[in-house]
Amino acid sequence: MTFRSALYVGAVMHRRLRPVVHQFRYRAFWLLIDLDELPRLAARHRLFSCNRFNLFALHDADHGDGGATPLRVQAEKLLEQAGIDIAGGPISLFCMPRTLGYSFNPISIYFCHQPAGNLAAIIYEVHNTFGERHSYVGTAEATTGSIRHNCRKAFHVSPFMDLDLVYDFRLSAPAERIAIGINASEGGQRILNACLAGARRDVTDGALLRLFLAIPLITAKVTLAIHWEALRLWLKGVRLRSRPSPPARSITVTDSLSQRRKSHVA
C-alpha cells in the first residue's frame, strides 16, 4: 500500500536580531499526515498509533481545541470561519509526532487542498508552553512556487517577544523537500527569523525506529530546548514581558501574498 503521508527529516533554525543577536539550530523530524489516511497509517505500522500509546502517535487532543473531535472536522470548521471552502478535499497535517506519550509542537501546519489536488488554504496552528493554541488561516494559490502570508501577531508565544509584531509566513508546498520560514517584525524592522527544512522519507517502521535512535524523545527535546534558549536570552539581558490574555477569537485570517514563481523560503 502506498501512502501520501511522509516523514521529513532536517533541522529547525532560529535567529534573533534585536535587542541582542541570538541563534540556534537543532536536528528534527516531522510527519506529514494525510488525515484521511490516518486510520490506515496507524493500522499498517507497529510503531505509530492514533489516539493510543506507542513509540510515536498522533492524538486529536494534541492539536486543534484539545478535545476528541477528529482533526479533519476541526480544520474544516476553522476554514469555514475564515470563509474558505475546500469542498471535501484532502487535508494533511505537518507536525512532530507524540513520542512515548509526550507531545509538544511549537507550530502545526495544515495543508488544505481542493478535491482535484490543488492547494487551497494553509492553517498555521501555533502552540505556546502555557497550553494555549491559536490558528492563523489563509488562502493559498501558488502550486509550484512560494506561498506567503502576512498578518499581525495575535497570540502570546515567547515571554521575550512583544505582542505588537507582524508575522510574515513563507513556505513551499511539501514535495521531495519542505521549507517553512517565519519572520517577525516590529516597526518595519525584523526581530526574528525562524525556519525549518527537511527532506522526504517514506513512513516505515524501520525509518521510525532509526529516527527515534538518531533523534530520541524529539518532542521532549523541543520543550527542553525552549527553556534552555530562554535561559540563555535572560542571561544576555533580554527583559521578560508579562503574559497577556489569549485572543478572543480562536483564529486570525491572514493576508495572502502568494507569488507564482519558483523560489525557496529565505
Side-chain angles (χ1 to χ4, degrees):
M1 180 183 296
T2 301
F3 290 99
R4 292 184 296 272
S5 302
L7 286 162
Y8 282 88
V9 183
V12 59
M13 296 144 282
H14 280 228
R15 178 174 173 81
R16 186 183 179 117
L17 304 174
R18 294 178 178 82
V20 299
V21 175
H22 182 79
Q23 61 185 16
F24 58 85
R25 179 182 185 276
Y26 292 101
R27 295 179 63 203
F29 65 92
W30 302 265
L31 277 169
L32 178 71
I33 299 177
D34 183 317
L35 295 179
D36 293 331
E37 290 184 344
L38 183 54
R40 288 182 289 124
L41 191 73
R44 182 69 180 270
H45 297 89
R46 294 183 177 182
L47 301 182
F48 175 78
S49 295
C50 175
N51 290 325
R52 67 178 181 85
F53 181 85
N54 204 333
L55 182 64
F56 296 112
L58 179 70
H59 287 217
D60 292 317
D62 294 338
H63 305 275
D65 63 10
T69 303
L71 293 177
R72 180 181 179 93
V73 174
Q74 294 197 50
E76 289 176 331
K77 182 178 179 180
L78 292 178
L79 294 174
E80 182 181 358
Q81 292 178 43
I84 301 171
D85 181 11
I86 63 168
I91 300 175
S92 294
L93 172 61
F94 179 82
C95 66
M96 292 179 181
R98 178 184 283 232
T99 307
L100 287 177
Y102 182 79
S103 176
F104 180 73
N105 275 270
I107 187 169
S108 308
I109 300 178
Y110 298 78
F111 293 88
C112 309
H113 301 78
Q114 294 285 347
N118 53 303
L119 188 63
I122 303 287
I123 301 172
Y124 308 91
E125 183 182 275
V126 180
H127 306 214
N128 65 24
T129 55
F130 305 106
E132 300 166 338
R133 298 166 191 164
H134 186 77
S135 294
Y136 299 88
V137 185
T139 58
E141 300 174 355
T143 55
T144 59
S146 66
I147 302 160
R148 186 177 174 187
H149 294 104
N150 184 275
C151 67
R152 299 202 65 83
K153 181 181 177 182
F155 176 66
H156 177 70
V157 178
S158 167
F160 298 98
M161 300 282 286
D162 291 318
L163 198 60
D164 189 21
L165 299 174
V166 174
Y167 281 147
D168 182 16
F169 297 94
R170 303 184 184 211
L171 67 160
S172 60
E176 288 305 308
R177 296 192 60 83
I178 191 169
I180 299 166
I182 305 172
N183 295 327
S185 302
E186 181 179 29
Q189 292 188 321
R190 186 175 298 182
I191 303 296
L192 174 75
N193 171 245
C195 59
L196 65 86
R200 188 186 189 281
R201 297 183 186 176
D202 291 336
V203 181
T204 65
D205 283 323
L208 291 170
L209 181 59
R210 287 190 292 272
L211 283 171
F212 178 77
L213 296 175
I215 313 175
L217 301 174
I218 180 66
T219 47
K221 175 183 174 181
V222 168
T223 300
L224 289 172
I226 287 171
H227 289 90
W228 168 243
E229 298 301 337
L231 175 61
R232 291 180 62 201
L233 276 171
W234 182 75
L235 291 174
K236 289 182 178 182
V238 181
R239 67 179 180 88
L240 290 167
R241 275 73 165 176
S242 59
R243 177 185 168 194
S245 300
R249 294 192 66 200
S250 61
I251 72 165
T252 295
V253 179
T254 70
D255 294 324
S256 178
L257 302 172
S258 298
Q259 303 173 48
R260 291 184 177 275
R261 69 170 187 267
K262 291 184 178 180
S263 59
H264 299 280
V265 175

